[in-house]
């Protein structure tokens, strides 16, 4: 009887996890369509239309004579309104910076599925390639955005791929918190960084804090093992999941990649 109840409980939890996982995974800040962005450096607001009825909102911080473009794919919280403060970390080295919101974040619209979100990011990349040559584009993925960034780099030819606190796969992250559930079948968002990074041709830089409790650095160490010659892992000693920009080592890394 105990076994029956246990199996029943797992099945019930699995169904609930399947139904509510979007609310657990995505923590967006939504903005009104007439919201006005304000920053003290030159920028323009962008809108992309990857599919009928879908609009992806972005911000483009630009220089007069940029050395290249950094496409910044943010984490699972907030919107580009909040993430835009990190643009200065790259803008200061004369790089244009583009940030975009995923479906349901900020002013972006559309129902979320993994396939559609990946297609959205490819659409954005294609549009940016109309203005920038690929060898002048750097793709930067932060936390959840690292999966989208890895997929883009695997399907295209950017100059560099930069992953900030990435996960081996989304499944591996969720399994840490829900080990008793059949995650493989319950999860609708798998984001296989481990699969895509093996197809990336450009050099990949991974930056990860040694005290990251949400996505342990072991995820990045496993990713690096796929190709140690083309994947450089920078360890930020004492760094957590959300505070890497507070470390001078982080900014030294960004400087070395962009300036030289």
């Amino acid at each position: 009887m105990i076994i029956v109840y246990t199996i029943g409980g797992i099945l019930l939890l699995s169904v609930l996890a399947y139904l509510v996982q979007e609310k657990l995974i995505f923590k967006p800040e939504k903005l009104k369509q007439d919201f006005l962005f304000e920053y003290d450096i030159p920028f323009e607001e962008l809108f992309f239309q990857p599919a009928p009825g879908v609009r992806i909102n972005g911000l483009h911080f630009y220089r007069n004579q940029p050395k290249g473009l950094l496409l910044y794919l943010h984490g699972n919280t907030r919107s580009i309104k909040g993430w835009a403060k990190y643009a200065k970390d790259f803008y200061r080295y004369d790089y244009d910076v583009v940030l975009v919101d995923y479906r349901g974040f900020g002013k972006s619209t559309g129902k979320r599925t993994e396939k559609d979100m990946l297609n959205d990011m490819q659409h954005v990349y294609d549009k940016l390639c109309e203005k920038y040559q690929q060898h002048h584009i750097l793709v930067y993925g932060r936390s959840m955005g690292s999966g989208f960034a890895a997929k883009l780099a695997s399907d295209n030819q950017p100059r560099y791929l930069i992953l900030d606190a990435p996960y081996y796969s989304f499944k591996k992250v969720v399994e840490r918190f829900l080990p008793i559930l059949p995650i493989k079948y319950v999860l609708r968002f798998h984001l296989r960084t481990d699969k895509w990074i093996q197809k990336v041709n450009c050099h990949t830089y991974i930056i990860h804090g040694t005290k990251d409790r949400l996505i342990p650095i072991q995820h990045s160490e496993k990713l690096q093992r796929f190709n140690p010659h083309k994947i450089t892992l920078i360890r930020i000693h004492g760094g957590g999941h959300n505070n890497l920009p507070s470390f001078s080592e982080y900014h030294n890394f960004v400087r070395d990649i962009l300036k030289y």
Side-chain angles (χ1 to χ4, degrees), residues 188-206:
R188 301 202 306 270
F189 299 86
H190 291 267
L191 295 172
R192 293 289 305 277
T193 311
D194 60 317
K195 175 182 176 182
W196 298 325
I197 202 169
Q198 297 180 62
K199 300 177 182 178
V200 174
N201 290 317
C202 67
H203 198 90
T204 299
Y205 294 92
I206 300 177

Side-chain angles (χ1 to χ4, degrees), residues 11 14 30 45 60 72 79 97 104 119 179 204-205 211 243 259:
L11 287 174
S14 298
K30 296 188 177 183
E45 187 173 5
H60 177 196
Y72 189 105
S79 72
V97 181
N119 288 340
T204 299
Y205 294 92
K211 292 188 177 181
N243 65 350
K259 196 171 181 179

